[in-house]
Amino acid sequence: QMQLVESGGGLVQAGGSLRLSCTTSARTFGTYAAGWFRQAPGKEREFVSGISWSGGSTYYADSVKGRFTISRDNGKNILYLQMNSLKREDTATYYCAIKDNPLALDILGAWGQGTQVTVSS
């Protein structure tokens, strides 16, 4: 089972930026679609962004479109989420996952511990 580890979260002021990373030692990482999800306190986990195995296709939730950018480096087995123009409503724990396709809501394997993003006003 592929283990993914998220990092890069933190406390940032509204309008600021953060870059999240998701790493794995699994050599098969580059053969799967991947994506980011987030869960705010008291809310369901929601889809944020997805990317095809090659990185050639990317998808975003309407709430982050134009502000977030997903990318991947299959040579280094890393998935990224560049988050710009952060808003208070982006505050959540962010999780990465591998999937059968970029838009899938079901993931392959288990959720990791996530990385906390807190946006202050």
Side-chain angles (χ1 to χ4, degrees):
Q1 180 171 315
M2 189 178 301
Q3 186 173 8
L4 303 173
V5 179
E6 303 93 342
S7 63
L11 174 64
V12 63
Q13 287 190 329
S17 299
L18 283 174
R19 188 175 79 159
L20 306 183
S21 298
C22 171
T23 59
T24 178
S25 59
R27 296 179 181 179
T28 56
F29 171 75
T31 65
Y32 291 98
W36 289 93
F37 296 77
R38 67 186 181 187
Q39 186 169 21
K43 295 187 176 181
E44 296 290 320
R45 188 157 13 213
E46 64 176 0
F47 168 84
V48 174
S49 182
I51 189 168
S52 61
W53 68 269
S54 66
S57 298
T58 57
Y59 305 87
Y60 299 93
D62 287 343
S63 58
V64 307
K65 200 171 295 182
R67 299 187 298 120
F68 290 11
T69 302
I70 190 172
S71 62
R72 65 192 300 166
D73 184 336
N74 288 340
K76 296 181 179 179
N77 289 348
I78 303 177
L79 177 71
Y80 297 105
L81 185 68
Q82 178 67 45
M83 306 187 296
N84 298 329
S85 302
L86 283 161
K87 305 176 181 180
R88 288 192 64 185
E89 51 264 44
D90 294 319
T91 295
T93 301
Y94 284 71
Y95 301 87
C96 63
I98 56 168
K99 307 185 286 179
D100 284 330
N101 70 75
L103 290 171
L105 300 182
D106 293 328
I107 69 168
L108 301 175
W111 293 104
Q113 293 190 334
T115 185
Q116 177 66 37
V117 172
T118 303
V119 184
S120 64
S121 59

